[in-house]
Amino acid sequence: MTSTYTSALDQYKTFYKKQLLEDTLPFWFPRAIDEEYGGYLLMRDADGSLLDDDKAVWIQGRFAWLLSTLYNTVEQKAEWLEGAKKGIDFLRRYCFDEDGRMFFHMTRGGKPLRKRRYFFSETFAVIAFAAYAKASGDKEVADEARRLFGKCLEYATTPGLLEPKFTGTRPAKGISIPMIMLNTAQQLRDTIGDERCDEWIPKWIAEIEQDFVKDDIRCVMEQVAPDGSLIDHFDGRTLNPGHAIEGAWFILHEAKHRNNDPHLINLGCRMLDYMWERGWDKEHGGILYFRDMYGKPVQEYWHDMKFWWPQNETIIATLLAYLMTGNQKYAGWHQQIHDYAYQHFHDKENGEWFGYLHRDGRLSSTIKGNLFKGPFHLPRQEWYCWQVLEAFQK
Amino acid sequence: MTSTYTSALDQYKTFYKKQLLEDTLPFWFPRAIDEEYGGYLLMRDADGSLLDDDKAVWIQGRFAWLLSTLYNTVEQKAEWLEGAKKGIDFLRRYCFDEDGRMFFHMTRGGKPLRKRRYFFSETFAVIAFAAYAKASGDKEVADEARRLFGKCLEYATTPGLLEPKFTGTRPAKGISIPMIMLNTAQQLRDTIGDERCDEWIPKWIAEIEQDFVKDDIRCVMEQVAPDGSLIDHFDGRTLNPGHAIEGAWFILHEAKHRNNDPHLINLGCRMLDYMWERGWDKEHGGILYFRDMYGKPVQEYWHDMKFWWPQNETIIATLLAYLMTGNQKYAGWHQQIHDYAYQHFHDKENGEWFGYLHRDGRLSSTIKGNLFKGPFHLPRQEWYCWQVLEAFQK
């Protein structure tokens, strides 16, 4: 590490901390706390005005996770813990169906509007409960986190338990499941701990490595056949570079946890390399949303838009890859994606980031929060990068 | 009608006929006929090369409808009838599930990949069967069209018969159902006839008028509460101008059928007026995909893209409104949308239209066919405009 770059890293650390605490978090907190019904009112326009008072279950969990995590790792502020509790209580009181599954979309008052086939509501609730249990010492919530993690394990490993979207004609599996389970287990381990984490984490990483990472074509697949073979149809060819790069840093994080395990560092860096090559927009900068494995047209209409979260995940992955390898290539990539993202997505007037840009960087929508976007990928990136820079400088 | 504009109409008539028969249809026919498995191979790139050999049930029906309709109304070409039969046979042999519902997405060989909650596969099969039955004289297919229309009536009028996507917390209904049923019944009436058509058509038009057309705010809603009241959340506020304008011309078509019924002409023109005002992009031209009722941000990412089909529907609606009212405003709108659309969407090199442009008219994808786009909205527009100009000039 050259001394020049050491000083740059110091500036990044200060920047991420400042952005998180003085720009991103104040956009949401305390404004989003729903004092009347509990939970959070997060569907907001650029200036913070409320667009819809519905509540997305994913994001209720994610914001409770964020506030608890800040309490656990940054400062034990009573208001953060109280804010986290608002979300935890809302999730526990309203967001579970009678069959134990969670809903996806709620009214402000806690009535269910939609339940989906996927169990991502559950995984985000696990990390929220676990982080809150650590922050509050509430044993009941800790038990709830462990119980729900057990349900997620069951959903993830029992074919046919959740209603399938497709027939059995062309069986497929997505990288989403091992990725989200890996991160959920990492969060659980880092907060209240659970012996199942160390049992399962290596299995999910092995599945990603064996079935989704294709060294021969330098590619991380989003979807493959159950045996890992390629599916040469629209869905099977569709790549999501920002998502695969998120997976790359989950694996680099695991490498760090295992005393810089060289095999995992290599795996995470390969994933990042392959998908930077495929996802980075050489013409306009930024990470594109979807790409076809063969460069053919993608079926999804928004394929060439720039969404906020792939940029956040790439900022983390490139920084972590640099810190763990010292390879200047990653320092360069980190600077490129950081500069692009903060220049194009950051709302300098109102704080926080816009979510949706056209390929060329023009704003497509002023929306800050909806069913899919809320206080998660951006604050997690700023928090993680700050914390990891802190750890590496010690 | 001024004599200048009469001559312009004559040019439009010649243009649409020529485009249909010498540019649009030759892109698909005979290339798309699957001689091996039956049905059509329609998922193609700009140059006609096959991107995916899967078959979308909607579009199998729509292409069989198109070929049968050309046979019925343009020329009794044996190859069109034979081509139509390929799709009819594929639909009847493979695309029905054991419960009588139809699938949505099939493999090339006829195995089901996905079934959806909606019954649009069924409505497109009804118009395909009806048009083919008229062309071929096949009584069994005519019976099948009538039987399936009966099933659609049942699905459309029996709440809870099809699995709902949402809970009952916030009941809503879409304009899609009365619109598609109206058009399906019109097609059935115009081909093999069915006494239920004249019974139901006025009911669907009344539902559209009473519950979806809001004169006080000059708006056609895409979704409302069962009693027609507005739902002030993202989905309830989201307007689809091209879709509402398609509904407008279905109603103008009905007005023509009823000897220029003035009430229906007025209704269709109001719908067109309201949604042209909201959907026409004053900056770049063309009809935008989604708009919020109050001009707030829309949740769907692709809200400001230009898709091919809203332009097709608006070309029909503006032309028909002009022909039925003589109002020069509509002639001007028709010229504007016609010029914009053929200039930006038409692939001058390979024929047919691109499907997906960015708001400013730049190409987003070269794709010509996928799960949603195929030989329907464009050839239907060219065929309908040609035929209606023919009829009005008599």
Side-chain angles (χ1 to χ4, degrees), chain A residues 200-243:
Chain A
W200 278 96
I201 284 173
K203 293 186 193 174
W204 289 313
I205 293 179
E207 185 183 359
I208 291 172
E209 181 170 16
Q210 285 160 26
D211 291 343
F212 293 93
V213 178
K214 305 295 179 192
D215 294 305
D216 53 341
I217 55 169
R218 299 179 69 81
C219 195
V220 182
M221 308 307 299
E222 197 63 20
Q223 196 181 94
V224 291
D227 67 356
S229 58
L230 302 180
I231 302 175
D232 192 2
H233 291 277
F234 279 124
D235 287 353
R237 289 199 307 261
T238 301
L239 310 173
N240 187 327
H243 193 230

Side-chain angles (χ1 to χ4, degrees), chain A residues 66-91:
Chain A
L66 178 71
L67 292 170
S68 303
T69 298
L70 294 178
Y71 183 90
N72 290 333
T73 61
V74 172
E75 190 186 338
Q76 298 198 337
K77 282 199 189 185
E79 68 199 65
W80 287 346
L81 190 62
E82 284 156 25
K85 189 171 189 303
K86 292 280 183 187
I88 300 296
D89 289 348
F90 188 86
L91 288 170

Side-chain angles (χ1 to χ4, degrees), chain B residues 48-60:
Chain B
S49 59
L50 198 64
L51 290 169
D52 195 323
D53 65 7
D54 284 349
K55 291 169 181 169
V57 178
W58 287 21
I59 311 186
Q60 299 292 309

Side-chain angles (χ1 to χ4, degrees), chain A residues 52 54 112 167 169-170 233-234, chain B residues 52 54 112 167 169-170 233-234:
Chain A
D52 195 322
D54 284 350
T167 67
T169 299
R170 186 184 292 155
H233 291 277
F234 279 124
Chain B
D52 195 323
D54 284 349
T167 67
T169 300
R170 186 184 293 155
H233 291 277
F234 278 124

Side-chain angles (χ1 to χ4, degrees), chain A residues 123-183:
Chain A
T123 63
F124 296 122
V126 169
I127 65 172
F129 292 162
Y132 178 77
K134 177 176 178 175
S136 64
D138 187 326
K139 294 223 173 348
E140 206 179 290
V141 177
D143 288 345
E144 179 66 9
R146 292 200 182 89
R147 189 198 62 77
L148 194 56
F149 180 66
K151 296 298 287 180
C152 293
L153 279 173
E154 208 183 315
Y155 300 139
T157 55
T158 317
L161 185 60
L162 302 185
E163 190 200 349
K165 185 170 174 182
F166 296 91
T167 67
T169 299
R170 186 184 292 155
K173 63 179 186 179
I175 197 172
S176 297
I177 302 300
M179 263 180 63
I180 195 78
M181 291 303 291
L182 166 59
N183 186 250

